[in-house]
Amino acid sequence: MSVADALVDAADADGIDFDGLTVAAGDDGYQFRTPDTDAVLTAADLREHADSPYVTNWYYWEHDIGGHDTPRRAFLRWLEGGDDRPVPERYDALDSGHTRHWGELAVTVTHGDAAGSRRYDVRHADDVDADTDTLATYTDPRDARELVKHDDDDGYRPLSTAPSLPHGWAFTDLDGGALVDTIDYVYPATVANWHREREGSLDVDHWADVADRQTGIYGIVSDLDEDALEWAAEACCVDSQCLKRREWDRDEDDALDVPRGDGEFPCREPCSLFVAAARKFTTLEREDTREYTFELTPAEKEQIEDIIGAVADDRTDDIREADVYEGANRYRTRFLRAKRMDDHGLSGTPTYPEDHDDDGDDGDHH
């Protein structure tokens, strides 16, 4: 159906009231209102207004997209600021392309060939200014499934929302449905959960409930105490590790004192990767503390702290071999190991002294 036919049909039916456009049939003709126009028109004159930005915008959202109250429609309107900006301002932005970010994705909306239509481009945010000719291009959303399984170093990505998307690709010339499908393959369920949160219907499963449901080898995670749970959330559920914004806590009355993150999309429950990590943290927390005596220089103590920080922040690959002033430098670390470690451990102190008798016969701790 053409825009003109759809416009007249809608005016003759229930009328139109959408994004600043109002059209209604009356005894004297059709009342046509926009922020710039207020006129009574004949049917022929009304058809002449079919190329108005307000009309083509209405046609796109009501005929091409439809799906009122659906996550897809809400997400597509959010991308171009459909609920916040007037139509002329949005159309001006679409002329050159309007970009918003979703995790590590940059999504750009432009005008399509048909009146009022939109086309969508999605790529890694770091590649937003790259010439498309320099990127591998795709149009089938299903290609995203394999594309994002590994990072730039071909390492497997067990967590889909980890900030480790590979670079060098783009999905181009997508319609709205294909765009949302692509997003769902890259970041599963994030659009749906974002929409539920906006609508006030996000069902959050807190840690206590998730932990109580675990069985088998994971049943022990319910023993993780509150301090350790906060340490676990600090380790796993921050922006540097996961792009979701944590909405779950220990339970609905006991919030964790850990930043929730700044991501656009919420995390409604502890993920399977967190549960697996929590199992290991639980076993570690069952050990009693011991006192050890080490001989270290002040610089060596600070170096051990630097090494822990570099590993925790995933900076080891960024430390150059020649930068021996960096505590986690490989040569500095090998020098420390050569100086301070032997078969008994750090500074000659075994982890389990009771397994080492006085004659030097080393035992294995099990």
Side-chain angles (χ1 to χ4, degrees), residues 52-130:
S52 162
Y54 289 94
V55 174
T56 59
N57 176 70
W58 161 80
Y59 184 84
Y60 175 69
W61 290 110
E62 297 302 291
H63 286 261
D64 289 356
I65 298 301
H68 286 265
D69 301 321
T70 62
R72 181 184 69 166
R73 180 186 177 98
F75 179 72
L76 294 175
R77 284 186 63 80
W78 173 82
L79 283 175
E80 65 179 66
D83 297 327
D84 306 313
R85 301 194 297 169
V87 171
E89 183 179 332
R90 280 188 273 149
Y91 269 42
D92 286 345
L94 295 180
D95 285 341
S96 57
H98 178 67
T99 300
R100 294 198 79 164
H101 291 83
W102 190 255
E104 285 190 298
L105 298 177
V107 183
T108 301
V109 195
T110 57
H111 287 295
D113 293 334
S117 66
R118 275 75 155 166
R119 305 304 289 179
Y120 301 88
D121 173 294
V122 59
R123 60 184 66 189
H124 196 293
D126 292 343
D127 295 331
V128 67
D129 295 323

Side-chain angles (χ1 to χ4, degrees), residues 1 13 35 37 53 63 107 115-116 122 171 194 197 207 223 225 231 281 285 306 313 329 331 362:
M1 180 183 292
T37 305
H63 286 261
V107 183
V122 59
F171 285 79
W194 166 86
E197 184 180 49
W207 171 252
D223 295 336
D225 66 31
W231 299 331
F281 299 152
E285 286 300 292
D306 287 344
D313 296 335
N329 169 268
Y331 295 130
D362 291 346

